[in-house]
Amino acid sequence: MTEFAFELELCATLEERRDGIVARQLGGSVADPGGRVLDVVCVEPGPAFDERVAITPASIPDAAIESDVGPGRARYWKDAFDCHPETARRATERAVDIGFFERERHNGRDYVRQVARYPDWFDRLVGIENKPDLGRPGDLESQLRTDVSLGLVDEVILATESYVTRAHLNRIPEEVGVWRVRRRRDDRPAIEVVREPTSLPADDWGVELLEERPGRTDVEVVSPAAKARARRRLAERAYGKGWRTFDLPACRTCRPDESSGATLPYCEWAGRVVDAATVCGPACGGYDPGDEPAVDLEAERERRTPWEGDPAGKRRRQAGLDRFGEP
């Protein structure tokens, strides 16, 4: 199985068996943005998860969350941000567009307020590294060592199809859990827990590996505050993005496959789930142009998870609330 197909089938399985949010291909670094990408992230619900669901289906910009815009008296948008004006303007517009801010006009100026106080909505974050074939590990050991030393997520797990030997376990940090994912007779994935993960100190200092060269390793120490902000960004990105970030191609050979419990792009010519964005098209020997399958992936996500694609929101309906000031 390709790593792409393995990842989608694992996401479908986790979505079916765990509470919260499952997402894929998210940045997992702090000091070096983009330096580490987590294959799968599971966001476990916190005490106010339902409040977050009610606000917006999209990721809320971090600048908007950190701003001094509150749910009480509306504020002039420029006075509420401690960042570059262009960054503030983009965050303001995006927050208004997705329903986290509501806008008022006073004397020709834009004033904004939050529709609701930002909630404490997520608990633990679990990062999963997918490596179907341990015979082709690539940078696996270095990636997992970085995940453990940084401690951005609460647990790190390696998921594989390979038979896991003692030699494999000895080559990766002992804090990393290991799953062997295999197909059952009903063609659904089964997860065998080879080793349980150890909880990481996500609220403590972390060390991020930046670059390794012969005789030298560059690292950066990351503060608990920086990790907390990065964890919130990671959770928000996961909430808005989910894992259905793939295309179903306009090809008669590719059909929506629901054997994993969710719709996946299965190519009958190739005999597997395919990444349509990279392998489908006229250059493919099995390409047969046709209409794109009528599948609503957002509706499927809403049906199978607590995420809501069109929540009622919390926009104020009463007039004159700003006279009460900040609560």
Side-chain angles (χ1 to χ4, degrees):
M1 184 182 296
T2 66
E3 197 160 318
F4 177 79
F6 181 87
E7 187 164 290
L8 293 195
E9 294 200 357
L10 180 59
C11 285
T13 301
L14 294 173
E15 181 178 81
E16 185 176 48
R17 301 179 187 179
R18 300 173 74 110
D19 294 331
I21 300 297
V22 179
R24 54 183 290 268
Q25 296 298 305
L26 299 173
S29 53
V30 181
D32 179 23
R36 173 75 174 110
V37 175
L38 299 173
D39 289 336
V40 177
V41 174
C42 297
V43 184
E44 298 182 357
F49 183 81
D50 289 344
E51 295 179 27
R52 173 63 186 85
V53 172
I55 295 174
T56 176
S59 302
I60 301 175
D62 196 59
I65 297 171
E66 290 202 327
S67 72
D68 290 331
V69 177
R73 179 172 54 86
R75 298 197 60 184
Y76 178 47
W77 70 273
K78 278 189 178 180
D79 294 340
F81 289 84
D82 183 20
C83 59
H84 192 280
E86 284 299 318
T87 301
R89 172 52 85 180
R90 286 195 300 269
T92 298
E93 293 300 324
R94 179 59 179 163
V96 170
D97 287 344
I98 65 176
F100 182 55
F101 285 177
E102 57 185 359
R103 181 174 7 225
E104 301 174 4
R105 292 285 288 179
H106 297 291
N107 300 320
R109 287 181 159 190
D110 285 341
Y111 284 69
V112 290
R113 71 168 116 235
Q114 291 180 5
V115 300
R117 196 176 301 279
Y118 186 77
D120 180 17
W121 68 272
F122 67 92
D123 188 7
R124 299 192 320 147
L125 305 179
V126 179
I128 302 171
E129 177 69 17
N130 298 322
K131 193 62 65 175
D133 183 3
L134 291 181
R136 303 169 62 186
D139 294 329
L140 178 63
E141 184 177 350
S142 174
Q143 291 168 338
L144 294 176
R145 282 194 291 109
T146 298
D147 294 341
V148 169
S149 64
L150 177 58
L152 181 63
V153 295
D154 297 272
E155 290 180 356
V156 177
I157 294 168
L158 167 65
T160 183
E161 278 190 305
S162 298
Y163 177 75
V164 182
T165 68
R166 177 57 57 183
H168 289 137
L169 294 177
N170 288 340
R171 284 198 293 268
I172 63 175
E174 62 182 9
E175 295 90 347
V176 176
V178 179
W179 291 347
R180 190 181 183 199
V181 184
R182 294 182 292 172
R183 286 190 171 275
R184 304 181 307 207
R185 289 184 178 179
D186 61 2
D187 210 35
R188 301 288 292 277
I191 297 176
E192 174 193 350
V193 178
V194 178
R195 184 169 75 187
E196 293 283 1
T198 300
S199 292
L200 302 175
D203 58 353
D204 204 347
W205 292 83
V207 177
E208 183 172 336
L209 174 64
L210 300 179
E211 187 177 1
E212 285 187 296
R213 298 188 294 274
R216 177 177 173 175
T217 300
D218 295 333
V219 301
E220 183 160 333
V221 178
V222 180
S223 72
K227 283 173 59 174
R229 290 191 296 271
R231 282 168 59 82
R232 185 180 64 207
R233 286 195 297 270
L234 180 59
E236 276 296 331
R237 183 64 174 140
Y239 189 88
K241 184 179 182 182
W243 62 269
R244 292 169 173 84
T245 56
F246 52 86
D247 296 319
L248 290 164
C251 174
R252 294 186 181 91
T253 309
C254 192
R255 60 174 175 82
D257 175 30
E258 298 181 0
S259 63
S260 295
T263 302
L264 303 181
Y266 182 84
C267 176
E268 294 179 332
W269 180 79
R272 56 182 172 84
V273 171
V274 294
D275 183 358
T278 60
V279 302
C280 294
C284 172
Y287 182 64
D288 183 8
D291 295 332
E292 186 175 320
V295 176
D296 189 339
L297 295 179
E298 282 199 358
E300 180 178 270
R301 183 186 185 196
E302 187 168 30
R303 186 172 63 251
R304 287 171 50 91
T305 76
W307 177 87
E308 292 185 16
D310 187 20
K314 292 180 177 277
R315 289 187 182 277
R316 299 171 188 263
R317 296 289 181 260
Q318 305 94 329
L321 280 178
D322 55 335
R323 72 178 184 271
F324 295 108
E326 287 282 349

